[in-house]
Amino acid sequence: MTFTRDAFARTRSEGRAALVGYLPAGFPDVAGSIEALKLMVDAGCDIIEIGLPYSDPVMDGPTIQAAALQALQGGVRTADVLRTVEAVAATGTPTLVMTYWNPVERHGVERFAQGLLDAGGAGLITPDLTPDSGAEWIAAADARGLDKVFLVAPSSTEDRLAMTTAASRGFVYATAVMGVTGVRASTSDLAGPLVSRTRAVLGAAASDLPIGVGLGVSNGTQAAEVAGYADAVIVGSAFVRTLLDAGADAAAGLAALRALTEDLANGVRRG
Amino acid sequence: MTPATNQGPDERGHFGAGEVAWGGRFMPEALISELDELTAVWTAAMADPGFTGEFERMLREYAGVPSMLYDATRLSEHAGARILLKREDLNHTGAHKIRNVLGQALLARRMGKTRMIAETGAGQHGVATATAAAYLGLDCVVYMGAVDTERQALNVARMQLLGAEVIAVESGSRTLKDAINEAIRDWVATVEHTAYCFGTAAGPHPFPAMVRDFCRGIGDEARAQVLELTGALPDIVTACVGGGSNAIGMFTAFLDDPDVRIVGFEAGGDGVDTGRHAATIFAGEVGVLHGARTFVLQDEDGQTVESHSISAGLDYPGVGPQHAHLAHTGRAEYLPITDAEAMDALALLARTEGIICAIESAHAVAGSLQLAAQAPGSTILVNLSGRGDKDMGTAIEWFGLGGPAVEPEASPVGELAETSEGAP
């Protein structure tokens, strides 16, 4: 298994930001998502986030909702998500699962953590679980050395930034806008200040925890801009969009996915 | 107004000290600071006589509260027990919901918010929120599942007339849970100037406790009214339970009365064994939904299962965490009532007392009739949480009402008082 710290060691030695790419498992179907995620690795993603499709995704906009719904209607199960992790992690690229909390709790926190470890997964990103509500996950992750990626937001107080970064391992996920996931025409002017505040908190704690910035990036130019101040550029909806737009034409979808990944990978190298 | 401090939650929003920490706050980080601030402002407001005095004045002068307690003698005769109805259906906007929204709207104003959003199932909470927004001069947007905008068209029109924008939610199962998802998505992006007026005693801390405390006047009033009328506490207190705001509002006053049996009635839909129901406590399992750990209708993977009920207001696959706690400890019982049983009770109440209640409330009436049969001669306090004007479309379809005049003996409703077989 590869943890995200190995990926960041490499990108930092190359003097650039990491590209983190997201797709939900089971979208367009389980085999299709594995193929697409491996292609994203091949085309330049440094870290992979696999979404666990959930019936009530309150932090997701229409694009990811549509993909998750398609995956659920196709019958994707938690076991399929872990199978997808196994296939992608086998490439040697650190692979995280991004999931709302109830599917983990329902599966059993210990059982989920062990299944993730056994599949070669690096850890979890938890959009609706904050460290102050996450004692059980933190214990399960710490017992196995799994990454715990928690989120910070423009509305986070300094106390919460300190608490959240102290609890995070792998990186901390800075949600750069106040809003749900989705492609945005321009990157948010809230991102820079949030990253600066987070860096100040990390500096005070003498921590080198990387900061990933997410929500809204859709092209190399934006990626380069964000890479100018962040350790990782996180892209989700734009990847999902390429496959949604291609519909039944899987080859066209994968071609667009490859082109987008390469554009973004070039972007993080310009930042 | 006395805070229900002895009934929880703790400062983290957890009910109960047992092996399950009910409630809590499973929410995006982006909303946590706002929830912290809301908790602080609400706590301070409840200790501020200026705030509580204004709240009580608004309830009295504007909302028609305290609502009456009604001794339903003809229904009692039919039931074989003394049925007392807490007439929340007579409140302004037609349900207990006005209590909660006036409290939350006052808080919104205190926090300097200019806009309120809400989710709604049956539309009663949406109408109440639109009303409070108009009353206090706030912008208002209401999210409502597309399935519900169809079956509750009258309430959509009411909200629009009150100046609210109603957004039909097409995602997911297109009902109440999806309306909540959409409202949370709105709130994440607008939290700086927007208050989320949550419609039930569920969701992340502080909503379960806050909504309870704004609604607890129901039980506080009823307890005093019953004592005055009968000289004793009721034997049984009942309410319908969807998310559970009217029920917790009623139950809170009686939780420390060990001799009072407390029973909530959930929506049994087509019958719990059919899988088409909304009996979350009776048939659900522990999980996290909309920010709280509670009972959830879910599959093996933790995906929320769609609920079913003839009553839009009970059609929710979660339930307030304090109800989960009360069920877990056994202090309250929760039982399912089918669509057919509720509709029979609706007709019976209409014919015996001249009161057309909401289909939600008819679940409490139906359940109380069953309890009366088991405990003849007892006194049963029922929260009649809302009125049925909004449900006439459903009633017309269910009973085959309207159309050409029919002979009295051939009237479909005419048979309902005697039989449970009136359902199609």
Side-chain angles (χ1 to χ4, degrees), chain B residues 405-416:
Chain B
V406 291
E407 293 301 312
E409 61 269 28
S411 159
V413 181
E415 296 165 355
L416 281 169

Side-chain angles (χ1 to χ4, degrees), chain A residues 56 77 102 105 132 155-156, chain B residues 12 29-30 288 293 301 304:
Chain A
D56 295 277
R77 304 285 309 270
N102 195 49
E105 187 159 304
D132 40 350
S155 57
S156 301
Chain B
R12 307 289 311 283
E29 170 65 19
V288 169
R293 182 175 287 113
D301 280 347
T304 311

Side-chain angles (χ1 to χ4, degrees), chain B residues 308-329:
Chain B
H308 295 274
S309 170
I310 193 170
S311 150
L314 303 183
D315 199 350
Y316 179 56
V319 66
Q322 190 173 1
H323 288 296
H325 169 58
L326 292 172
H328 194 69
T329 61

Side-chain angles (χ1 to χ4, degrees), chain A residues 127-182:
Chain A
D128 65 349
L129 185 77
T130 53
D132 40 350
S133 295
E136 207 181 345
W137 160 238
I138 288 170
D142 287 351
R144 295 169 177 82
L146 291 166
D147 286 338
K148 305 164 289 181
V149 179
F150 292 107
L151 279 65
V152 292
S155 57
S156 301
T157 59
E158 310 307 306
D159 283 352
R160 293 197 61 82
L161 289 179
M163 185 272 294
T164 304
T165 52
S168 296
R169 180 165 46 236
F171 63 99
V172 64
Y173 190 132
T175 53
V177 293
M178 288 299 284
V180 297
T181 57

Side-chain angles (χ1 to χ4, degrees), chain A residues 221-244:
Chain A
T221 307
Q222 290 176 340
E225 185 191 327
V226 173
Y229 55 81
D231 301 302
V233 179
I234 303 166
V235 180
S237 296
F239 285 130
V240 172
R241 189 83 258 164
T242 59
L243 299 186
L244 279 177

